[in-house]
Amino acid sequence: MQKIGIIGAGQMGTGIAHVFALAGFDVRLHDISQEMLDNATRKIDANMKRQVSKDIITETDKSNAIARIETGTELALFSDIELVIEAATENEDIKNQIFQDVLKHVGKDTILTSNTSSISITRLAAKTDRPEKFMGFHFMNPVPVMKLVELIRGIATDDDTFKNVSALVDKLGKTTAFSEDFPGFIVNRILIPMINEAVYTLQEGVGTVTSIDSAMKLGANHPMGPFELADLIGLDTCLAIMKTLYDGLGDSKYRPSPLLTKYVEAGWLGRKTKRGFYDYRGDEPIPSRPSSLHFRSAS
């Protein structure tokens, strides 16, 4: 496979386009918003410049990779694509609609994949005309930096599809973790409940945003604190994954924190909105609310 179509020019889609283009693939990046596509192009260019400055890639590598990326707002862009990676928002209805739209423009042998971080691959695949050519292709954020890719087979995914997508991971120079098709897969089944528990810890007044982040960085040797990481991922995404875990597994330990829900309701989604658990509108991030304003549990 040489021609890769990516749907969604947000944080994940942009990163996926970046790594595929650098690896020598022809990339078609689609989004319904031209503004998002323009921002993605600028971000890819800036990130590759940073790689050049660190001698990770050469200027020639960068210019060749940029030339391999084509963007557009129409799905006709995908007429000769061999593999599609859906990287839209973590909403099952939206993803289903995207795949229905994509099927009108791609060939019968085109493989469909989703970068979903928690939604059932089997269920997404069943809504298409090719469940045997459908699987989960979950990159970690930020894509150019993180080495891991989770691959998830749906119940109908055939061996050829699995082998072809596995080979792509090798060509990208990344490492594969194979996950069964259960809510959250491996990484988010473990990671997002940890973040959710950190929010409960904040909600109950056990510690402040900064003390909890410092405790996990210095006490558990995590590179980022749970609130820093949540803001990077996006609080709306964290909440969507927790809801998927709670609904899919039916265990009360996956109940989303009410405080996490409040932040999402406020539109404080993290770095992408300049406010989450931290406020990013100044020179340095600071906690977005004084600890005394966080409500405590009834107990």
Side-chain angles (χ1 to χ4, degrees), residues 41-100:
T41 301
R42 286 191 293 268
K43 185 173 182 179
I44 291 170
D45 186 74
N47 287 341
M48 287 188 183
K49 282 180 179 175
R50 190 174 298 112
Q51 290 179 304
V52 171
S53 70
K54 295 180 179 179
D55 294 325
I56 297 172
I57 62 174
T58 67
E59 186 63 46
T60 300
D61 293 334
K62 173 183 174 296
S63 58
N64 288 343
I66 294 293
R68 293 187 194 104
I69 301 174
E70 182 180 350
T71 66
T73 57
E74 301 295 331
L75 283 170
L77 189 70
F78 285 9
S79 61
D80 60 347
I81 285 300
E82 295 159 284
L83 178 136
V84 171
I85 304 171
E86 171 274 315
T89 187
E90 194 70 355
N91 179 295
E92 188 166 348
D93 291 338
I94 291 174
K95 291 180 186 296
N96 283 329
Q97 186 59 57
I98 285 171
F99 284 118
Q100 290 306 309

Side-chain angles (χ1 to χ4, degrees), residues 13-193:
T14 298
I16 295 168
H18 177 136
V19 298
F20 268 101
L22 266 184
F25 292 88
D26 298 323
V27 174
R28 312 280 173 78
L29 179 60
H30 171 274
D31 199 283
I32 58 175
S33 165
Q34 185 60 51
E35 181 182 2
M36 289 290 290
L37 290 169
D38 293 341
N39 288 339
T41 301
R42 286 191 293 268
K43 185 173 182 179
I44 291 170
D45 186 74
N47 287 341
M48 287 188 183
K49 282 180 179 175
R50 190 174 298 112
Q51 290 179 304
V52 171
S53 70
K54 295 180 179 179
D55 294 325
I56 297 172
I57 62 174
T58 67
E59 186 63 46
T60 300
D61 293 334
K62 173 183 174 296
S63 58
N64 288 343
I66 294 293
R68 293 187 194 104
I69 301 174
E70 182 180 350
T71 66
T73 57
E74 301 295 331
L75 283 170
L77 189 70
F78 285 9
S79 61
D80 60 347
I81 285 300
E82 295 159 284
L83 178 136
V84 171
I85 304 171
E86 171 274 315
T89 187
E90 194 70 355
N91 179 295
E92 188 166 348
D93 291 338
I94 291 174
K95 291 180 186 296
N96 283 329
Q97 186 59 57
I98 285 171
F99 284 118
Q100 290 306 309
D101 293 341
V102 166
L103 288 172
K104 301 170 187 175
H105 298 277
V106 299
K108 61 182 179 61
D109 294 323
T110 301
I111 293 173
L112 304 179
T113 69
S114 176
N115 184 60
T116 178
S117 51
S118 63
I119 297 170
S120 168
I121 298 302
T122 297
R123 199 163 60 236
L124 289 173
K127 298 291 180 65
T128 74
D129 65 355
R130 61 196 74 189
E132 73 284 353
K133 292 185 178 295
F134 193 112
M135 63 180 292
F137 202 0
H138 181 217
F139 290 81
M140 305 296 118
N141 183 38
V143 181
V145 175
M146 302 297 281
K147 298 296 185 183
L148 185 73
V149 178
E150 282 184 320
L151 294 185
I152 308 98
R153 293 179 74 151
I155 197 169
T157 307
D158 64 26
D159 288 341
D160 285 342
T161 297
F162 184 70
K163 289 174 183 175
N164 284 331
V165 177
S166 297
L168 287 180
V169 178
D170 293 337
K171 290 178 181 178
L172 295 175
K174 294 188 181 293
T175 299
T176 301
F178 303 108
S179 172
E180 296 297 330
D181 187 19
F182 285 90
F185 316 131
I186 296 172
V187 173
N188 284 324
R189 172 77 175 265
I190 298 168
L191 174 65
I192 302 301

